[in-house]
Amino acid sequence: MRGSFASKSRIFYVLLGAGVSFIIIGSASALYTLTPVSVSLNGTVEAGESDTLTPNMNAGNPVVLSVTGSNSSIEIVDPEQEVIKSVNNTASFQYNFTAQTDGQYLISIENLGSSDLSIVGSAFTKGSQIALGGQLMLIVTGIIVLGLALRARLR
């Protein structure tokens, strides 16, 4: 009988630990997904190519952007599809702005020249709503495992 009790107790504590761990990790990850963090926009765009950057920002988040090295066309669009800034055939571009509304901004950069473009800057972005679904499933899994732990304890 003593071995049976130790086994049930061990199962309870393992399930309890796993359930609590799932809930803590899921909650921390969900909080991180909803909080904008600063990311680098640094990179290059080869001749004849284009790049699209899509930071998901909150109102008040700043963006610093500099594009040099070749002729390019650049367009910045806000979440309501309003053009914030658009330039064509420029060899040097520098623009700083602050997000006025929450949502996903679109920064399109097209290299029109024969040499590489250099992109330097930073923006804030947060995780996608699709990722948030995964974290919520992790929290629900933790709750289910806690339920199994309680069931094992009461048996």
Side-chain angles (χ1 to χ4, degrees):
M1 204 56 139
R2 177 121 170 103
S4 175
F5 176 73
S7 178
K8 284 183 183 181
S9 179
R10 188 176 326 135
I11 289 172
F12 168 74
Y13 287 114
V14 167
L15 290 173
L16 180 69
V20 169
S21 297
F22 285 153
I23 292 171
I24 290 172
I25 292 168
S27 299
S29 185
L31 180 64
Y32 181 76
T33 297
L34 298 173
T35 305
V37 294
S38 182
V39 294
S40 171
L41 301 178
N42 299 348
T44 58
V45 179
E46 296 178 359
E49 298 293 321
S50 63
D51 193 9
T52 302
L53 309 170
T54 55
N56 187 2
M57 301 189 293
N58 286 345
N61 290 151
V63 174
V64 176
L65 180 65
S66 176
V67 181
T68 57
S70 189
N71 285 345
S72 61
S73 290
I74 301 160
E75 184 174 71
I76 301 171
V77 180
D78 72 8
E80 280 97 31
Q81 305 304 314
E82 298 291 327
V83 175
I84 296 172
K85 183 83 170 174
S86 181
V87 294
N88 291 313
N89 208 21
T90 185
S92 180
F93 176 82
Q94 187 167 358
Y95 190 67
N96 302 339
F97 72 95
T98 301
Q100 299 300 311
T101 58
D102 293 356
Q104 188 168 325
Y105 286 72
L106 179 70
I107 303 170
S108 300
I109 303 168
E110 183 178 3
N111 188 345
L112 304 173
S114 57
S115 62
D116 289 353
L117 279 178
S118 174
I119 303 170
V120 177
S122 64
F124 280 79
T125 192
K126 56 188 174 181
S128 71
Q129 295 302 317
I130 294 172
L132 184 59
Q135 286 117 7
L136 293 177
M137 284 192 289
L138 192 59
I139 293 169
V140 169
T141 300
I143 292 168
I144 291 169
V145 171
L146 280 178
L148 291 173
L150 292 174
R151 182 174 180 205
R153 178 72 170 186
L154 296 175
R155 283 190 132 203

